[in-house]
């Protein structure tokens, strides 16, 4: 292929790292490399719960794209992707149309509400910087309003989190850290504030090591988080949430409900001509879409099955970053008629932060960690990513170095 037009959609973990790897390995006149993203910044989605709780400012999470790309090699277009037309090898953006020879789709995740009444209208989600910032402001506004109301609303200081998976638990942990400061700021007694986590399974963090889950629950409960497990969210109303447990419906007044129990691939993928399975593209072993040899799909838009269990790998940043190696190498191979690589994930483990320099982790061959050691592991993972993306400069600027407090 003579100087192919390579277009990468989405500057998330998958798209950004593919771009960086291609810019490092390709010469200027080898390809036209274009990255399209809705914002002029990349963000660390794995830190958004901290931004939403207000324990970390979103400036720390955002990384200006132009600061990490080589502008001589990468043409960055800030625009919204509207649709993908693989039969015509075109992508429609809000403001223009692009032609491509090779396409990478890395448009990430969005919230899935499963038709539960009221979620779309009344629930908060943590999906990007804007939604995280909105939730932080909403929390603060409710605290500020409390003493300004004559008839105090029951749910003003009840914060309910739907979903005891990673996002819900990590947010609850950060919130437990933030509440004492908010109470002090707005002269509110801490006992008046409730953080309630509602999970459909019998345990939070289903699939995680049961001893570590017990540790996580005890740690969070000691900081004021209440758990209701085996309960399904039935409806979200403007000032309350309804859940069902053991056949009985219960209503909890709340002005702040975070829906953290469902994500799906960006719906642009399902609306394209690319074949999907439950909204995701079940990619071939070389990360290409089933019916298009020139389209790669990466990260949360891609479905990769674990060959042993037949179950899809969970959507994680870890997998998106690993996929970018294979996608970048295979793009080079496709352009030069070389051999395609196969993606084999290497799951190094998982870490769930609990706020307050506390966490649980299972890493490297079932090595279990909790407390500050697990929290430190999480920071090492985060810092390692920054180093891979932008070298020592970016690490020093955005890294997390408060490892022991
Ligand atoms: C609070 C939270 C905590 C998490 N913690 C962890 C963790 O500890 N470990 C882990 O491995 N994973 C974690 N995850 C999951 C992880 O963040 C995702 O799996 C990962 O972000 C997926 O990467 P991606 O490249 O597919 O897409 P994303 O990182 O979602 O990036 C998609 C990009 O596409 C852009 N975009 C979207 N739509 C458009 C459009 N129409 N036009 C142009 N641009 C668009 C977005 O702005 C974004 O830049 C967490 C997620 C959340 C929300």
């Amino acid at each position: 292929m003579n100087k192919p037009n390579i277009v990468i959609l989405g500057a998330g973990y998958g798209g950004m790292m593919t771009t960086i790897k291609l810019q490092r390995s390709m010469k200027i006149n080898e390809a036209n490399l274009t990255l399209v993203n809705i914002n002029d910044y990349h963000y660390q989605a794995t830190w958004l719960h901290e931004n939403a709780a207000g324990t970390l400012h979103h400036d720390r999470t955002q990384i200006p794209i132009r600061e990490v790309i080589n502008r001589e090699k990468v043409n960055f277009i800030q625009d919204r992707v509207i649709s993908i037309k693989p039969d015509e090898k075109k992508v429609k953006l809000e403001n223009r149309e692009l032609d491509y020879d090779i396409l990478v789709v890395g448009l990430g995740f969005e919230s899935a509400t499963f038709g539960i009444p009221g979620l779309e209208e009344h629930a908060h989600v943590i999906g990007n910087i804007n939604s995280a910032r909105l939730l932080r402001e909403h929390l603060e506004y409710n605290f500020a309003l409390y003493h300004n109301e004559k008839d105090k609303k029951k749910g003003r200081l009840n914060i309910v989190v739907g979903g005891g998976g990673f996002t819900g638990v990590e947010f609850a942990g950060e919130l437990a850290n933030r509440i004492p400061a908010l109470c002090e700021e707005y002269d509110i007694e801490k006992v008046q504030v409730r953080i309630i986590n509602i999970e459909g399974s019998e345990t939070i963090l289903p699939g995680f090591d049961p001893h570590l889950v017990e540790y996580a629950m005890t740690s969070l409960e000691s900081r004021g988080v209440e758990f209701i497990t085996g309960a399904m969210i039935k409806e979200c109303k403007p000032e309350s949430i309804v859940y069902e447990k053991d056949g009985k419906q219960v209503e909890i007044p709340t002005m702040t409900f975070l829906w953290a129990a469902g994500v799906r691939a960006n719906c642009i993928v399902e609306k394209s001509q690319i074949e999907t399975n439950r909204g995701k593209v079940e990619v071939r072993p070389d990360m290409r879409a089933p019916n298009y040899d020139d389209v790669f799909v990466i990260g949360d838009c891609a479905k990769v099955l674990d060959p042993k269990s037949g179950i899809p790998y969970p959507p994680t940043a870890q997998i998106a970053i690993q996929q970018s190696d294979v996608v970048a190498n295979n793009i080079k191979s496709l352009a030069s008629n070389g051999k395609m690589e196969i993606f084999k994930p290497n799951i190094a483990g998982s870490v769930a932060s609990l706020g307050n320099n506390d966490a649980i982790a299972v890493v490297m061959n079932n090595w279990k960690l909790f407390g500050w050691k697990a929290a430190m592991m999480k920071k090492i993972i985060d810092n390692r990513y920054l180093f891979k993306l932008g070298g020592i400069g970016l690490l020093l600027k955005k890294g997390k170095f408060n490892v022991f407090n």
Side-chain angles (χ1 to χ4, degrees):
M1 224 181 266
N2 193 21
K3 209 174 184 198
N5 269 336
I6 303 168
V7 174
I8 298 168
L9 305 180
Y13 290 99
M16 197 71 238
M17 285 309 289
T18 303
T19 307
I20 295 297
K21 281 166 189 166
L22 286 173
Q23 85 173 14
R24 284 180 191 151
S25 64
M26 289 184 119
K27 296 190 189 85
I28 287 181
N29 49 13
E30 225 177 305
N32 296 315
L33 198 51
T34 302
L35 173 66
V36 181
N37 197 57
I38 194 164
N39 305 302
D40 61 358
Y41 56 82
H42 161 70
Y43 56 83
Q44 297 240 57
T46 60
W47 295 8
L48 287 174
H49 57 287
E50 298 175 57
N51 305 147
T55 49
L56 181 79
H57 196 272
H58 54 267
D59 280 353
R60 290 280 305 283
T61 305
Q62 290 170 310
I63 298 164
I65 291 173
R66 290 188 178 88
E67 280 183 20
V68 285
I69 57 168
N70 176 342
R71 286 184 248 174
E72 286 184 359
K73 287 186 174 177
V74 180
N75 170 32
F76 172 61
I77 299 176
Q78 183 183 355
D79 207 340
R80 179 194 293 270
V81 177
I82 303 293
S83 61
I84 303 167
K85 303 177 198 165
D87 285 339
E88 297 164 48
K89 289 177 166 266
K90 284 185 192 303
V91 176
K92 191 173 184 307
L93 309 183
E94 204 159 64
N95 299 302
R96 61 197 278 192
E97 200 162 62
L98 294 177
D99 294 303
Y100 66 81
D101 296 308
I102 300 174
L103 183 71
V104 180
V105 181
L107 292 170
F109 66 92
E110 58 188 36
S111 175
T113 52
F114 309 118
I116 297 171
L119 278 188
E120 293 267 5
E121 299 85 348
H122 310 302
H124 284 263
V125 292
I126 303 180
N128 52 41
I129 294 282
N130 292 326
S131 56
R133 190 163 38 195
L134 178 67
L135 179 49
R136 185 200 66 203
E137 287 297 314
H138 174 85
L139 283 166
E140 186 136 1
Y141 174 73
N142 276 292
F143 274 72
L145 206 56
Y146 187 71
H147 284 305
N148 287 291
E149 276 178 326
K150 251 200 208 142
D151 299 322
K152 298 213 181 316
K153 294 234 161 97
K154 268 189 166 177
R156 183 74 66 203
L157 302 177
N158 288 348
I159 302 150
V160 183
V161 179
F166 274 68
T167 303
V169 168
E170 291 192 322
F171 175 72
E174 290 302 320
L175 198 57
N177 277 12
R178 174 93 164 110
I179 293 302
L182 279 174
C183 286
E184 200 176 315
E185 167 92 15
Y186 294 101
D187 304 318
I188 290 169
E189 278 182 86
K190 201 170 157 261
V191 287
Q192 290 178 286
V193 182
R194 290 178 73 191
I195 305 171
I196 305 157
N197 183 285
I198 301 178
E199 163 58 36
S201 307
E202 290 307 321
T203 165
I204 60 160
L205 299 170
F208 219 93
D209 178 86
H211 293 113
L212 291 177
V213 169
E214 204 180 313
Y215 172 89
M217 285 183 86
T218 309
S219 165
L220 292 174
E221 279 167 349
S222 74
R223 284 185 277 137
V225 180
E226 301 167 43
F227 290 99
I228 302 169
T229 55
M232 303 301 284
I233 301 296
K234 288 290 163 189
E235 190 178 351
C236 181
K237 299 183 186 178
E239 298 191 6
S240 69
I241 188 84
V242 180
Y243 71 85
E244 189 174 293
K245 186 174 162 85
D246 301 330
K248 275 193 219 136
Q249 293 214 341
V250 182
E251 191 159 353
I252 305 178
T254 179
M255 317 291 277
T256 309
F257 177 67
L258 168 67
W259 175 241
V263 287
R264 47 159 294 151
N266 193 314
C267 66
I268 291 173
V269 175
E270 197 169 29
K271 288 181 191 150
S272 73
Q273 294 141 339
I274 305 170
E275 189 182 313
T276 53
N277 176 349
R278 291 174 158 225
K280 290 191 173 197
V281 179
E282 198 173 320
V283 287
R284 292 185 253 168
D286 60 15
M287 296 303 300
R288 282 186 291 178
N291 39 351
Y292 294 97
D293 282 350
D294 43 21
V295 178
F296 292 86
V297 184
I298 194 165
D300 286 8
C301 293
K303 181 180 279 188
V304 177
L305 301 182
D306 180 343
K308 275 191 204 145
S309 64
I311 295 171
Y313 288 104
T316 62
Q318 182 181 182
I319 288 204
I321 295 164
Q322 288 180 15
Q323 288 171 340
S324 67
D325 275 328
V326 172
V327 171
N329 289 344
N330 285 350
I331 286 174
K332 286 197 73 182
S333 297
L334 195 61
S336 59
N337 296 321
K339 200 168 171 281
M340 304 294 268
E341 273 179 31
I342 283 179
F343 173 62
K344 284 196 198 119
N346 171 21
I347 311 293
S350 42
V351 189
S353 80
L354 306 172
N356 206 24
N357 279 298
D358 197 2
I360 51 173
V362 179
V363 287
M364 291 180 280
N365 269 334
N366 224 9
W367 186 31
K368 292 168 198 166
L369 297 174
F370 57 87
W372 68 267
K373 287 183 191 160
M376 190 169 79
M377 181 62 75
K378 178 107 177 154
K379 284 170 189 162
I380 291 171
I381 293 167
D382 290 343
N383 288 345
R384 187 168 166 262
Y385 172 70
L386 288 169
F387 182 72
K388 277 173 100 171
L389 179 64
I392 192 76
L394 186 63
L395 173 61
L396 291 174
K397 211 164 159 187
K398 302 278 179 176
K400 290 181 172 175
F401 299 108
N402 54 336
V403 282
F404 291 113
N405 58 15

